[in-house]
Amino acid sequence: MRFTTRPTLSGTFGMVSSTHWLASQSAMAVLEDGGNAYDAAVAGAFVLHVVEPHLNGPAGEVPILLAPAGGRVRVLCGQGVAPAGATVAHYRGLGLDLVPGTGPLAAAVPGAFDAWMLLLRDHGTKSLADVLRYAIGYAEHGHAPVENVGATVETVRELFETEWTTSAHVYLPGGRVPRPGELFRNPALAATWRRLLDEVAGAGDREARIEAAREVWRTGFVAEALVRQAQRPTLDTSGARHAGTLTAEDLAGWSATYEAPATYDWNGWTVCKAGPWSQGPVLLQQLALLPPELPRYGSADYVHLLIEGCKLAMADREAWYGDAAEVPLDALLSDAYNAGRRQLIGERASHDLRPGSPGGRVPRLCAHARAVDADSGSRGGDGRGPGVPGVGEPTVAKYPTSPVPGEPEAGAGADGRIRGTGPQVDADGRTRGDTCHLDVVDRWGNMVSATPSGGWLQSNPVVPELGFPLGTRLQMTWLEDGLPNSLTPGRRPRTTLTPSIALRDGVPVMAFGTPGGDQQDQWQLHFFLAVAQRAQVRGGLDLQGAIDAPNWHNDSFPGSFYPRGMRPGSVTVEARTDPAVVAELRRRGHDVTVGEPWSEGRLCAVARDPRTGILSAAANPRGMQGYAVGR
């Protein structure tokens, strides 16, 4: 008999899985009210803004993968671009080597709201008022917050009380942090959505009102308030006060867009991801790097293989991925290229950042990555491949200190290790996420997977007229010209957000994803392989079993969040991992940190068996927030 923390849910009507039970149940309520998967996803997403404000917000971003019943998988890009004034020269002129992790200088054009509006307009059936009413209710009348909301606010209490006072007004009412068991309200956010609905009420039919809402966001009272906040000098992680570059023209000129997914075929499966403006193809590259026969699931050979493959894929991410250049994705995913890369995986753990040369192209790493690599004791030319400029140069990486925490935290831990923002790895291996996730499948077979993030309560001061802050996604770009991920006006910063849809024999069967920044496609690979190899795993693993299985991650590449640190050779595993596996990984040269038993991953998943029409869902038990619902 197999034991999991929860059953994998099964039914035929509809399934939702998300990182918070109120979002899951709100989305399910929309399905019960006759809505489809897209209506449900939009409703759930706006509830996530209310109940997980430390992990996402309306002015953040979201990539959405959607698989309409009988249709093609599409990507809906809700990642906004760098404003017209966001140039490398401007930031360098301010004396910066990195984009700050907080404050308006790090704000891209907000993307999440417009993406959800397009999804609702083009694929939903419900009105804007129908899907917003759940979020409005929780913001206006209150909800019992999870413990991590208050814990996050406590880490930024001094900042809120002395500098970001508009945030204190929302998140420190009466000087108290939000607490479990007490109702927490955000009346300013509720008022924003009510005013939005009032302003679009006379616009015409359902689609016209949604279009009117998009215009209010881009050019109306919402846009005006966002621009005022962006131009206000704000203390950020550089230790100085800076105004941002976002303008009314930037907001008015941007829209979410549809595009084809990046895909890779593996053993009868087709995995769909967002393109290389995200880190999504990293999962595809990891699959392409796998040998025809895999070691025994969960063995030291298996874990070692996946870790080393991840390092190679992440090195290619650093050298090739981004929206500021043409990415040779076909070459990066080709059999010939990955057969050669696979030969670099040896018996011992690599501590080097080793980008490849697809099609003979010369890889180029940013100066920051080269500096960190040099400090780590990397040996230039150690299987790295030719033509990586600057590898081994004795440059010292700069990590600015600041009184302002990053998202959600920054600074050195008890072990002295520098940590960036976003998902944090504590000295004991615990990981704190910075993002949400939501998957839905309905009775008609429509499927959606989305990873909302950005606009955290700790990213920027709350816009007082709106009840939510700007985002900080530009921190993922480099202040160096000529790189695929250089800060470039009108270009998307390379995001870590990476939802997934998997097809079996060409038919969509599973939507899944996780919060976790750079860890997302590491945790998702392990989950996907556990599901895909079910017949090879002793006793088999269903969705919940694959989520519950001990997971791991490594940090052997520059982090995507300020201050962009890395730990060459690192591996963090859950304490439930077989001690013999841990010992063997250490023998092979991995720097293993054993974390808490339930600390790696926050996966969600829904599935549909096209043969029977049976739907299923599962959610992560770690953190005691994620829930799947359905019938």
Side-chain angles (χ1 to χ4, degrees):
M1 179 179 292
R2 302 190 312 277
F3 292 95
T4 59
T5 57
R6 309 165 179 175
T8 294
L9 305 185
S10 62
T12 56
F13 180 81
M15 291 284 163
V16 182
S17 179
S18 87
T19 47
H20 196 290
W21 61 84
L22 290 180
S24 295
Q25 187 53 44
S26 297
M28 191 67 202
V30 172
L31 293 180
E32 296 284 2
D33 194 41
N36 64 20
Y38 310 113
D39 298 313
V42 176
F46 279 89
V47 170
L48 286 173
H49 296 159
V50 178
V51 300
E52 292 192 320
H54 58 311
L55 305 178
N56 81 135
E61 46 275 328
V62 58
I64 305 170
L65 267 65
L66 56 147
R72 296 179 301 156
V73 176
R74 300 290 288 168
V75 177
L76 178 49
C77 174
Q79 174 57 65
V81 299
T87 65
V88 170
H90 175 64
Y91 286 61
R92 288 286 189 178
L94 297 172
L96 299 171
D97 295 322
L98 296 172
V99 178
T102 61
L105 269 182
V109 176
F113 180 86
D114 198 60
W116 290 120
M117 291 301 98
L118 277 185
L119 184 68
L120 183 65
R121 184 196 72 183
D122 297 341
H123 300 278
T125 64
K126 293 290 187 179
S127 71
L128 182 57
D130 286 338
V131 297
L132 279 180
R133 65 189 181 96
Y134 305 92
I136 291 173
Y138 287 124
E140 189 169 63
H141 303 297
H143 70 282
V146 295
E147 184 176 354
N148 282 341
V149 174
T152 301
V153 174
E154 192 62 60
T155 67
V156 289
R157 173 192 284 273
E158 183 178 354
L159 174 68
F160 281 11
E161 291 176 336
T162 60
E163 294 279 346
W164 296 7
T165 54
T166 58
S167 297
H169 181 73
V170 174
Y171 290 105
L172 288 168
R176 288 165 54 90
V177 301
R179 299 186 181 188
E182 299 180 1
L183 286 178
F184 173 71
R185 299 175 175 86
N186 188 342
L189 179 58
T192 295
W193 299 144
R194 288 198 179 280
R195 179 177 174 183
L196 180 74
L197 291 174
D198 287 344
E199 291 199 9
V200 306
D205 62 11
R206 189 188 79 92
E207 289 80 6
R209 290 193 293 274
I210 295 170
E211 275 300 295
R214 296 178 69 207
E215 284 304 306
V216 170
W217 178 274
R218 293 189 298 209
T219 64
F221 79 92
V222 176
E224 293 168 359
L226 289 173
V227 171
R228 277 195 298 271
Q229 185 65 50
Q231 296 177 352
R232 202 168 278 147
T234 301
L235 183 65
D236 59 38
T237 48
S238 72
R241 291 175 179 83
H242 294 111
T245 60
L246 184 69
T247 67
E249 291 74 20
D250 295 317
L251 275 165
W254 183 84
S255 172
T257 53
Y258 292 99
E259 60 189 53
T263 64
Y264 187 77
D265 296 331
W266 184 83
N267 284 10
W269 293 80
T270 299
V271 180
C272 302
K273 303 290 284 188
W277 54 267
S278 76
Q279 74 170 359
V282 163
L283 178 58
L284 309 183
Q285 280 197 262
Q286 289 178 94
L287 290 172
L289 284 162
L290 295 175
E293 296 294 329
L294 295 181
R296 179 176 56 84
Y297 175 89
S299 66
D301 286 340
Y302 181 83
V303 177
H304 173 78
L305 174 70
L306 268 55
I307 292 169
E308 294 303 299
C310 174
K311 292 175 185 177
L312 294 173
M314 285 295 197
D316 278 345
R317 183 192 77 166
E318 289 309 304
W320 300 110
Y321 289 22
D323 196 35
E326 291 295 323
V327 180
L329 190 59
D330 288 344
L332 287 167
L333 296 179
S334 68
D335 291 341
Y337 176 74
N338 286 289
R341 296 284 278 160
R342 195 179 303 128
Q343 299 307 308
L344 296 177
I345 300 176
E347 187 69 17
R348 301 279 301 171
S350 171
H351 288 223
D352 297 320
L353 194 63
R354 301 182 289 178
S357 301
R361 299 170 180 84
V362 177
R364 181 183 171 193
L365 294 172
C366 66
H368 185 85
R370 300 197 305 268
V372 175
D373 198 38
D375 286 348
S376 74
S378 169
R379 299 168 300 286
D382 182 24
R384 183 185 303 275
V388 182
V391 169
E393 293 174 1
T395 311
V396 177
K398 297 179 180 179
Y399 296 98
T401 58
S402 165
V404 186
E407 299 107 351
E409 294 180 347
D415 58 353
R417 196 164 74 235
I418 293 289
R419 294 180 180 80
T421 60
Q424 301 304 310
V425 184
D426 293 340
D428 60 3
R430 289 179 300 170
T431 301
R432 299 192 184 116
D434 70 329
T435 300
C436 308
H437 189 79
L438 174 72
D439 297 311
V440 187
V441 60
D442 63 28
R443 63 188 183 275
W444 300 286
N446 299 304
M447 193 175 289
V448 61
S449 181
T451 309
S453 188
W456 302 276
L457 65 87
Q458 65 275 28
S459 63
N460 259 299
V462 165
V463 183
E465 304 93 324
L466 303 178
F468 58 84
L470 285 162
T472 54
R473 193 59 56 172
L474 292 186
Q475 67 178 287
M476 296 185 166
T477 61
W478 296 112
L479 296 182
E480 181 178 348
D481 288 319
L483 298 170
N485 194 33
S486 297
L487 177 65
T488 307
R491 297 290 187 173
R492 294 167 288 192
R494 189 192 67 215
T495 180
T496 53
L497 308 175
T498 173
S500 304
I501 286 181
L503 290 67
R504 184 70 173 165
D505 299 322
V507 180
V509 297
M510 184 166 63
F512 60 99
T514 179
D518 295 310
Q519 288 82 46
Q520 289 181 33
D521 282 315
Q522 302 186 57
W523 293 332
Q524 289 186 62
L525 176 71
H526 183 205
F527 164 81
F528 172 73
L529 290 177
V531 172
Q533 298 180 92
R534 177 174 180 174
Q536 302 174 28
V537 177
R538 183 181 179 185
L541 282 178
D542 58 12
L543 295 184
Q544 191 64 53
I547 289 173
D548 288 354
N551 217 320
W552 62 82
H553 81 272
N554 84 91
D555 299 297
S556 296
F557 45 85
S560 294
F561 293 85
Y562 178 97
R564 317 300 295 270
M566 64 183 283
R567 287 197 302 146
S570 70
V571 179
T572 302
V573 303
E574 291 183 325
R576 296 178 296 131
T577 304
D578 183 348
V581 170
V582 173
E584 176 60 15
L585 291 175
R586 285 175 171 157
R587 188 192 69 79
R588 295 186 183 198
H590 295 279
D591 178 12
V592 181
T593 296
V594 178
E596 293 292 322
W598 296 89
S599 55
E600 291 286 317
R602 291 177 63 203
L603 282 146
C604 299
V606 300
R608 179 180 184 272
D609 186 335
R611 300 167 302 171
T612 63
I614 292 176
L615 312 178
S616 56
N620 172 54
R622 299 163 179 88
M624 296 187 290
Q625 278 183 227
Y627 270 88
V629 297
R631 68 174 179 86

